[in-house]
Amino acid sequence: MVNKAIKVIEKEGFENDYKYIFVDEYQDMSYKNFQLVKAIKDKTNANLVVVGDDWQSIYGFRDS
């Protein structure tokens, strides 16, 4: 679903009025999740805010 969402956003865009994109637990994002956030960011003028703590990372096994 994430892969398809990335492709749709990159190709077709989407209607939005986002001013901010907030990502919590950033340290546990996979590369695909990062690509999704990046695709949204690239199609908006939104500010990106992330919160993460590498001492709390629990998903290293899934390439976070």
Side-chain angles (χ1 to χ4, degrees):
M1 289 173 46
V2 173
N3 291 335
K4 183 159 178 104
I6 293 167
K7 288 178 185 176
V8 168
I9 291 169
E10 288 176 344
K11 182 178 178 184
E12 301 173 20
F14 61 99
E15 291 185 31
N16 70 78
D17 57 353
Y18 296 139
K19 294 181 182 176
Y20 300 96
I21 301 169
F22 293 95
V23 179
D24 191 14
E25 302 296 338
Y26 187 72
Q27 75 277 0
D28 289 327
M29 285 185 66
S30 68
Y31 182 66
K32 284 296 179 182
N33 293 128
F34 166 77
Q35 287 181 309
L36 178 59
V37 171
K38 184 177 181 324
I40 295 169
K41 172 75 174 109
D42 289 346
K43 295 292 183 179
T44 67
N45 290 322
N47 295 301
L48 178 61
V49 179
V50 299
V51 177
D53 182 354
D54 60 346
W55 284 84
Q56 294 185 21
S57 181
I58 60 172
Y59 291 115
F61 67 91
R62 66 174 190 143
D63 297 328
S64 300

